[in-house]
């Protein structure tokens, strides 16, 4: 990883020391594999080729774009999902300080997009951009978009945090490099636009030794063209943005399962487009020394399976299946994958040379047959169906354009053009039936629906596989005067506990 340059190429907010001491290069590095899996989540998907349709729509998580581009159609709707494009992230979490000279360390990490352009050269020495080029050694070279990892660390004392904190640049400078191809056939030129961004870190005291930490990362740049397509705007974006938070003399509390005495304060934390979870060994379930605030939803103490020989660019991957499928690629397909991206080349090479004993370990492992001892949990009751008498997904309703919508309601799908899942856009204009009304952990509401003309709609409904849309992404098809289903969600939402 390289230390990210600040705005306009300024130095990073803090130089990363390499003494191996403290939390910065101790526990942070212990969770490095998980953090890197977040960094490269969806970077390049199987079959790892440029020609693959799913690799033509990239960068889906933790993308912070210039604000004028994001808000050209209106303000963004905050939520903890990092699959929605935004211009900022906000992380809030709780920590206890065991001494007055405690220090908090924050690492902001992301990818900076880089254009890889292959150029051929003619007899006159003039270079010309091409989509692909094969050199005399038989290797193929393809033009594509890569990414450069960036990270900046901020180190703040407890006293500075409570005095108002600090805002520091975490952007990355523009740059360009060229590399000659073998036998003088041409060159590869890599270019990056400047990414302008800041991170603000501050804390407020809640009790004698208890604090709420806030980390806000913003893309502060202006879009070259606010009306440009997303592929163009990504050149000025922070991609797969996430934050590691640790420190010396501090202990963080889980927001998923906080200690009972901290449950009320945990519900007061407001996270936007990211969510912090505890990392490290599970000695204490509810507290820890490092938090990872990721744009993908993770459990506390996430881990990469020790059997996994390397990242396949999908943190939810099934290594054995992906490895088998990569083995079955033809020689031509493997050659294209290697030419697409250096990281894709390493994946293919690793699969091709994987020892049999390593592959056999991918088939599965039983971690423990010991039952988990029950413990009193401070988790809010609404996390499970039936845990809160005031909530029932199959009975609750929500008002949409004056119509009470709930289970059984017919709707037309209208996903937002900005921030919607790419697959949801294919459902624009289709009719669907609402199956349930769910309450998200960030206080928002989601409608679970089945698409009417889906041949498997009945099967999906039977085993609970739904598409999820916000209320403002559907149009009720029931007439405004139709009777509402039982229950009124707008009343229940007022009573619903927040987190």
């Amino acid at each position: 990883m390289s230390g990210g340059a600040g705005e306009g190429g300024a130095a990073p907010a803090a130089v990363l020391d390499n003494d191996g001491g403290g939390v910065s290069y101790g526990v942070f590095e212990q969770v490095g594999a998980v953090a890197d899996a977040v960094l490269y989540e969806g970077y390049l998907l199987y079959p790892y080729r440029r020609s693959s349709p799913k690799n033509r729509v990239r960068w889906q998580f933790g993308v912070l774009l210039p604000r004028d581009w994001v808000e050209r159609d209106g303000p963004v709707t905050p939520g903890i999902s990092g699959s929605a494009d935004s211009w900022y992230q906000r992380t809030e979490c709780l920590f206890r300080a065991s001494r007055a000279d405690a220090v908090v360390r924050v690492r902001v990490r992301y990818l900076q997009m880089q254009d890889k352009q292959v150029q051929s050269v003619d007899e006159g020495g003039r270079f010309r951009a091409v989509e692909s080029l094969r050199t005399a050694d038989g290797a193929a070279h393809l033009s594509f978009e890569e990414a450069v990892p960036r990270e900046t660390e901020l180190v703040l004392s407890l006293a500075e945090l409570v005095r108002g904190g600090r805002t520091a640049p975490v952007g990355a400078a523009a740059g360009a490099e060229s590399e000659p191809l073998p036998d003088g056939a041409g060159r590869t030129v890599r270019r990056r636009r400047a990414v302008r961004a800041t991170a603000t870190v501050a804390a407020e005291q809640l009790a004698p030794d208890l604090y709420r930490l806030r980390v806000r990362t913003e893309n502060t740049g202006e879009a070259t063209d606010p009306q440009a397509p997303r592929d163009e705007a990504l050149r000025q974006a922070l991609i797969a943005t996430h934050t590691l938070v640790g420190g010396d003399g501090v202990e963080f509390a889980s927001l998923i399962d906080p200690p009972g005495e901290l449950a009320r304060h945990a519900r007061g934390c407001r996270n936007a487009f990211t969510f912090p979870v505890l990392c490290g060994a599970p000695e204490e379930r509810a507290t820890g020394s490092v938090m990872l605030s990721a744009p993908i939803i993770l459990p506390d103490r996430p881990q990469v399976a020790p059997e996994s020989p390397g990242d396949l660019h999908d943190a939810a991957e099934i290594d054995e299946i992906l490895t088998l499928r990569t083995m079955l690629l033809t020689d031509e397909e493997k050659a294209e994958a290697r030419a697409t991206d250096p990281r894709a080349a390493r994946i293919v090479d690793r699969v091709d040379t994987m020892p049999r004993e390593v592959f056999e370990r991918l088939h599965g492992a039983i971690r423990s047959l010991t039952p988990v001892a029950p413990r009193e949990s401070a988790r809010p009751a609404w996390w499970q169906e039936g845990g809160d008498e005031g909530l029932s997904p199959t009975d609750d309703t929500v008002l949409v354009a004056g119509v009470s919508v709930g289970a059984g309601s017919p709707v037309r799908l209208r996903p937002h053009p900005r921030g919607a899942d790419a697959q949801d856009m294919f459902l624009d204009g289709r009719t669907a039936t609402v199956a349930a009304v769910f309450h998200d952990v960030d206080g928002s509401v989601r409608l679970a629906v089945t698409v009417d003309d889906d041949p498997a709609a009945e099967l999906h409904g039977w085993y609970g596989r739904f598409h999820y849309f916000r209320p403002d992404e559907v149009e009720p098809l029931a007439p405004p005067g139709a009777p509402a289903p039982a229950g009124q969600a707008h009343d229940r939402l007022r009573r619903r506990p927040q987190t």
Side-chain angles (χ1 to χ4, degrees), residues 15 47 127 230 278 340 364 377 411 444:
V15 177
F127 290 97
R230 186 174 185 268
L278 290 175
T340 294
S377 173
V411 296
S444 59

Side-chain angles (χ1 to χ4, degrees), residues 23 153 236 342 412 480:
V23 171
E153 182 168 306
Q236 298 176 262
R412 190 176 302 279

Side-chain angles (χ1 to χ4, degrees), residues 34-257:
V34 175
D36 285 347
V38 172
L39 187 67
Y40 288 100
E41 167 76 12
Y43 174 80
L44 195 63
L45 302 175
Y46 169 87
Y48 309 114
R49 304 193 310 269
R50 184 186 69 171
S51 60
S52 172
K54 59 186 172 184
N55 284 321
R56 298 174 189 171
V57 182
R58 302 174 72 197
W59 325 119
Q60 297 298 322
F61 300 96
V63 179
L64 306 186
L65 295 140
R67 183 174 184 175
D68 56 347
W69 188 90
V70 174
E71 295 191 338
R72 59 183 180 176
D73 295 322
V76 296
T77 302
I80 62 172
S81 173
S83 62
D85 290 342
S86 177
W87 57 275
Y88 74 95
Q89 279 183 353
R90 183 179 67 240
T91 295
E92 292 189 357
C93 59
L94 303 176
F95 72 92
R96 293 188 184 277
S98 59
R99 59 179 196 259
D101 63 347
V103 169
V104 170
R105 301 173 184 267
V106 174
R107 280 193 192 177
V108 178
R109 308 174 82 234
Y110 61 92
L111 297 175
Q112 178 186 17
M113 184 172 164
Q114 174 174 267
D115 281 309
K116 180 185 73 172
Q117 180 67 66
V118 176
Q119 298 179 350
S120 64
V121 61
D122 61 22
E123 295 180 355
R126 293 182 294 271
F127 290 97
R128 179 175 62 90
V130 295
E131 285 298 304
S132 63
L133 182 65
R134 189 174 295 275
T135 51
D137 59 2
H141 302 269
L142 302 178
S143 296
F144 198 56
E145 294 85 26
E146 301 173 338
V148 180
R150 303 296 189 192
E151 72 176 30
T152 302
E153 182 168 306
L154 288 75
V155 182
L156 293 86
S157 67
L158 181 62
E160 183 180 5
L161 283 168
V162 297
R163 282 199 308 265
R166 186 196 315 168
T167 297
V170 295
E177 300 91 31
S178 65
E179 177 184 359
L181 294 175
D183 303 315
R187 66 182 182 182
T188 299
V189 178
R190 291 176 168 86
R191 296 188 178 92
R192 301 175 298 280
R193 292 188 190 173
V195 174
R196 301 187 179 277
T198 62
T200 300
V201 184
E204 61 176 313
Q205 189 168 12
L206 305 175
D209 64 343
L210 180 65
Y211 301 83
R212 177 179 289 117
L213 180 72
R214 180 178 297 109
V215 181
R216 183 181 175 96
T217 303
E218 298 182 3
N219 186 321
T220 58
E222 293 185 0
T224 303
D225 177 7
Q227 301 304 315
R230 186 174 185 268
D231 288 348
E232 180 67 20
L234 285 170
R235 289 168 169 79
Q236 298 176 262
L238 293 77
I239 298 169
T241 314
H242 61 284
T243 306
L244 283 170
V245 183
D248 304 310
V250 298
E251 183 180 67
F252 295 90
S254 169
L255 297 187
I256 296 175
D257 192 8

Side-chain angles (χ1 to χ4, degrees), residues 314-398:
D314 188 340
E317 63 210 16
I318 302 175
D319 290 47
E320 183 181 29
I321 292 176
L322 286 175
T323 299
L324 281 169
R325 296 187 72 175
T326 303
M327 286 178 174
L328 294 176
L329 294 174
T330 66
D331 290 342
E332 292 77 12
E333 290 171 330
K334 290 180 179 179
E336 183 188 348
R338 289 187 174 99
T340 294
D341 185 273
R343 296 186 67 89
R346 290 196 288 272
I347 289 174
V348 175
D349 291 342
R350 185 173 71 239
V351 169
D352 278 352
T353 59
M354 183 178 295
R356 180 182 180 88
E357 60 271 17
V358 174
F359 178 77
E360 288 176 347
R361 287 201 300 268
L362 300 182
H363 190 60
I366 298 175
R367 301 293 177 214
S368 174
L369 295 177
T370 304
V372 177
R375 65 185 292 270
E376 184 176 353
S377 173
R379 179 174 297 170
W382 49 266
W383 275 69
Q384 52 188 343
E385 174 68 21
D388 187 334
E389 295 181 357
L391 294 174
S392 175
T394 55
D395 294 328
D396 282 351
T397 64
V398 62

